[in-house]
Amino acid sequence: MSEETFTFDRRMLEALVCPVTHAVLDYDAGRQELVSKGAGLAFPIREGIPVMLIDEARRLDS
């Protein structure tokens, strides 16, 4: 069985905004997340696809 590696296309950042604040997102390559500083949330990127659901987001530490 081979392990697949998925990458996030940074050009998606131009089209994606935070579902809470509608502000731009920052890409955290190390954690594979899109970060909304205004909302205090980090949205996961799974298999190269951003999961923009609030229920799936990680709360940022204060």
Side-chain angles (χ1 to χ4, degrees):
M1 207 184 284
S2 68
E3 184 177 313
E4 289 188 57
T5 302
F6 298 93
T7 58
F8 174 68
D9 185 349
R10 287 178 177 245
R11 291 175 293 178
M12 279 190 183
L13 280 177
E14 296 173 12
L16 293 173
V17 295
C18 174
V20 177
T21 65
H22 304 285
V24 296
L25 299 162
D26 294 317
Y27 175 51
D28 183 337
R31 293 191 125 174
Q32 284 298 292
E33 295 177 327
L34 295 177
V35 178
S36 172
K37 293 176 184 172
L41 297 171
F43 299 91
I45 299 171
R46 296 187 185 129
E47 298 181 2
I49 300 170
V51 180
M52 303 304 295
L53 301 171
I54 296 167
D55 291 344
E56 295 287 324
R58 176 179 67 83
R59 294 223 172 263
L60 299 176
D61 296 332
S62 303

